[in-house]
Each structure stands twice: as C-alpha cells, then as structure tokens.
Amino acid sequence: MGASRGPRLSGLQKQVLSLYRGFLRAARCKSAADRRQIESIVSAEFRRNSNQVDRKNFLYIEYLLRRGKKQLEQLQSPNTESLSQTKQS
C-alpha cells in the first residue's frame, strides 16, 4: 500500500510548508514554555497570512518567505530563547 497523495503543490506552497516545518523543528530545541509560545505565534502568523494574502500576489509571498527565513535563522541561534509578535494594522 502506498501513501495517499494530496493535491500537487506549487513551488511556493512547498517553500511555505518547509518554512513552517522549520519553525516547528526549531521550537523543539527551546524550553517547553517557549516551545508552546513559539508554536502559537507561528501558527497564528501563518494562518493570518493564509487568510489575508492573495494567493496570486507572488511578490508579497516571496517577501514573506524571505522575512520568515531570516526569523527562522534567528530562532535557530542558541542565544535566542523565544519569538516576539507585533501587531500589524
């Protein structure tokens, strides 16, 4: 029996999912309390963007991917304990 396959994903969708998984993996290296906070922030941010950003706005999605990769690099640093979240209007 083979694994069931979902819908085919575009390159950008694969990058977004990879970034999301990267954040969850990085959260595993932090303390339990920080891990829960990181997972909550990441989940909320990805969900907010999935609802607010037009799927055809490739430039903005690529910008968000670049920004997310920089934030992930920061989070992976041993000196970083947690993420902070800012409200955007």
Side-chain angles (χ1 to χ4, degrees):
M1 284 175 121
S4 65
R5 295 178 187 244
R8 293 186 77 123
L9 300 176
S10 72
L12 274 179
Q13 288 172 320
K14 289 177 184 177
Q15 289 178 49
V16 169
L17 289 174
S18 175
L19 182 63
Y20 184 76
R21 286 191 305 266
F23 273 107
L24 296 182
R25 280 189 207 104
R28 286 188 216 143
C29 299
K30 307 300 178 185
S31 71
D34 289 336
R35 178 181 181 171
R36 283 189 298 276
Q37 179 194 23
I38 292 166
E39 289 171 348
S40 174
I41 290 171
V42 168
S43 175
E45 187 73 13
F46 273 77
R47 188 167 310 280
R48 184 180 65 78
N49 284 323
S50 75
N51 292 328
Q52 292 182 352
V53 176
D54 180 18
R55 292 174 186 238
K56 297 191 188 289
N57 191 348
F58 303 120
L59 289 176
Y60 189 63
I61 294 169
E62 289 171 351
Y63 160 75
L64 290 173
L65 279 168
R66 285 191 305 273
R67 193 178 83 180
K69 287 176 186 176
K70 289 179 183 176
Q71 290 174 332
L72 178 56
E73 288 174 9
Q74 273 188 311
L75 182 61
Q76 290 170 332
S77 167
N79 298 329
T80 304
E81 293 179 9
S82 185
L83 286 178
S84 64
Q85 185 177 26
T86 57
K87 288 200 172 192
Q88 296 177 348
S89 51

